[in-house]
Amino acid sequence: MRDQDFRVGRREDAGRVVITVAGEIDLGTAPRLRDALDDALTCGVHRVEVDFSGVRFCDCSGLGVLLRARAQARDAGVVFGVAQVQAPVVRRLFHLTQTACALGVSGRAA
């Protein structure tokens, strides 16, 4: 996967930030997701949602970024969740690692 195919966007509305992610999250792209989540968690919002509808692949480095962000959100009193996990390989990652519940994974739109 080429890093330029990876995209992270952000929208903010009424105390909520939605981080939209597209492409593949791996060792090369996970730092960009981490930076976006760090920014979102330090801007004073009450909820951070990560829209995974465009994510085709996520490895353990991406999972680590999400778990770190979830812990930071919990410590800051911010609600955190991952929405619209579409790719079977990503759903399988969350299932095998038993992290879907911890990450607030849902099928609903962000």
Side-chain angles (χ1 to χ4, degrees):
M1 179 184 110
R2 297 179 322 224
D3 286 358
Q4 64 263 28
D5 293 335
F6 179 77
R7 294 183 313 280
V8 178
R10 172 185 169 143
R11 68 181 188 271
E12 192 169 338
D13 179 37
R16 174 180 85 138
V17 170
V18 177
I19 301 295
T20 56
V21 189
E24 298 183 6
I25 306 169
D26 58 21
L27 189 60
T29 59
R32 291 171 52 196
L33 176 59
R34 182 194 63 226
D35 292 346
L37 290 170
D38 286 349
D39 288 346
L41 288 166
T42 58
C43 71
V45 296
H46 303 295
R47 180 179 197 86
V48 173
E49 296 178 24
V50 187
D51 180 347
F52 256 44
S53 61
V55 175
R56 298 184 307 264
F57 174 82
C58 182
D59 71 5
C60 61
S61 58
L63 179 61
V65 167
L66 293 172
L67 290 170
R68 176 181 172 269
R70 180 215 172 247
Q72 289 176 308
R74 182 192 61 229
D75 292 348
V78 174
V79 176
F80 181 87
V82 178
Q84 288 296 313
V85 178
Q86 304 293 319
V89 68
V90 178
R91 288 196 309 263
R92 183 166 169 77
L93 171 70
F94 293 149
H95 173 74
L96 290 175
T97 58
Q98 300 180 2
T99 54
C101 186
L103 291 171
V105 173
S106 75
R108 65 176 172 68

